[in-house]
Amino acid sequence: MDKTRWNIETKAVQCGFTPKNGEPRVTPIVQSTTYKYDTCKEIADLFDLKVPGHMYSRISNPTVEVLENKMAALEGGVGALALSSGQSASTVCILNICEAGDHFVALSTLYGGTFNLFKHTLKKMGIDMTFVDPGAPVDEIKKAFKPNTKLLFGESLSNPGTQVLDFDKFSAIAKAMGVPFIVDNTFPTPCLCRPLEHGADIVIHSTTKYTDGHATSVGGIIVDGGSFDWNNGKFPGLTEPDESYHGLSYTETFGNQAYIVKARVQWIRDLGCYMSPQNAFLTNKGLETLHLRMERHSSNALALAEFLESHPGVDWVKYPLLKSDANHDLCKKYMKAGSGVLTFGPKGGRDAAERLMNSLQLAEIVVHVADVRTGVLHPASMTHRQLSDADQIKAGVLPELIRITVGIEHIDDIIADFSQALDSMG
Ligand SMILES: *Cc1c(COP(=O)(O)O)cnc(C)c1O
């Protein structure tokens, strides 16, 4: 049976772990830092990367490997690497390509944490970058690329602005510029959108969000599409001998898995931000129902968006599948449904937004998004607080904007809650 042809629902349940005769059916939590071998040579071969296997849980672990294999299957990649957070996935996916003196280009509509990492922290490490407006003309965007530009980065569905990535436009730009296209697919998840099928080369996730889906575990993952040709002269770190790995070349030794092997044996070896087995177990449990949850998150969010749009106390609503939304056509083209995140602005500005949030009873105020419970957040005073007013606007954050993460409760109860809160505003 060709498992690569399974539907996404089947992969979410079945892929990643195939127990042998008599072994546990459910992925066990291998809570061990270390692994026993009979001879020195076997461990030497592991260190030489000549054979697959585990030697130390900073670099790989059987439980985490199950999650990695499943996520690679869901996204359609050749390999994956799980990390301790989405932030470490964003950091390592860049460091694996860029070093001091290099430059990259990113869309300006990004999660606040990624924005800070790119604009400030990586710059302090000597990695320069330029933000581009996703709506700018192609010629203008191409001007942001320099001879030392090494990659293009964007979010498939931006947090919190829910802007849908124009994959055809940006994958063509990355191709023309000879750089890989990295896409953060946290919000749609592979159930609603698979970036590798639309020209992305590498996909990352904060698994803290829908992948786990129950708000139990912070984590991240990088999936390598295996499609990018690193041999165009721009990426010596992947093609030339690595002195820290006794002179092996990743592309020569590992072919189309060069990127993901390098991220593990060089960056995770040195930075040590690997996912823990316990978190991988919980995250993998979440993945088993991802397809069901994403359907309900999406249908609830669309119904709530339509309700809010019709309410006189609401100034504006943004949800990609609303007919009125500027992203409607892109969403129809690239996504199976709209996901569970929407934003809206109540009439009365920032002050009204805060009062409205305080009167909600089912929807809770949480610094989180994308789990089973409905929650609300005010990005201007929370996640995007560290950004200047101008940078907030660039990231799509207006002062009155409330982000709703729509859960999987009954839609009537969710709507009733927003209805009573809006009515109480008078
Ligand atoms: C939350 C988030 C991140 C960061 O992930 P953490 O797991 O919180 O470190 C990155 N990208 C997006 C789109 C996110 O929503």
Side-chain angles (χ1 to χ4, degrees), residues 215-413:
T216 69
S217 310
V218 173
I221 202 158
I222 305 174
V223 180
D224 184 356
S227 50
F228 190 78
D229 180 8
W230 302 102
N231 286 297
N232 65 1
K234 273 180 188 274
F235 304 97
L238 281 125
T239 56
E240 300 297 311
D242 176 3
E243 273 182 42
S244 82
Y245 233 107
H246 39 72
L248 73 72
S249 146
Y250 294 100
T251 45
E252 271 175 28
T253 314
F254 300 105
N256 72 348
Q257 293 195 31
Y259 175 88
I260 203 72
V261 173
K262 176 175 183 282
R264 183 186 303 275
V265 303
Q266 192 181 69
W267 286 104
I268 294 295
R269 175 196 67 185
D270 293 358
L271 297 183
C273 44
Y274 196 52
M275 187 181 277
S276 74
Q278 179 78 36
N279 279 4
F281 173 83
L282 290 166
T283 305
N284 188 43
K285 273 277 141 267
L287 268 185
E288 290 174 354
T289 56
L290 181 70
H291 49 298
L292 296 176
R293 290 185 286 108
M294 291 317 291
E295 275 177 30
R296 178 63 71 87
H297 282 298
S298 299
S299 63
N300 277 357
L302 180 57
L304 182 62
E306 284 169 348
F307 163 78
L308 290 172
E309 197 170 44
S310 70
H311 197 287
V314 173
D315 196 10
W316 56 268
V317 184
K318 212 167 165 308
Y319 182 67
L321 267 193
L322 279 178
K323 290 205 175 60
S324 60
D325 197 276
N327 289 270
H328 181 265
D329 292 346
L330 283 176
C331 189
K332 283 264 175 218
K333 183 170 176 190
Y334 296 116
M335 290 173 51
K336 202 172 145 194
S339 197
V341 181
L342 66 95
T343 58
F344 78 106
K347 285 190 180 141
R350 181 181 184 132
D351 177 55
E354 294 199 16
R355 280 194 293 126
L356 178 79
M357 286 173 67
N358 294 342
S359 30
L360 289 163
Q361 290 168 17
L362 181 150
E364 289 164 333
I365 303 175
V366 281
V367 182
H368 197 250
V369 59
D371 73 78
V372 290
R373 284 158 289 262
T374 296
V376 286
L377 173 128
H378 185 232
S381 63
M382 300 175 188
T383 45
H384 287 64
R385 192 180 179 82
Q386 278 109 13
L387 270 60
S388 67
D389 289 357
D391 282 347
Q392 287 198 354
I393 301 289
K394 261 195 230 158
V397 177
L398 298 171
E400 75 276 17
L401 182 152
I402 297 175
R403 186 188 70 189
I404 311 177
T405 170
V406 185
I408 60 172
E409 303 94 341
H410 197 288
I411 184 59
D412 292 351
D413 298 326

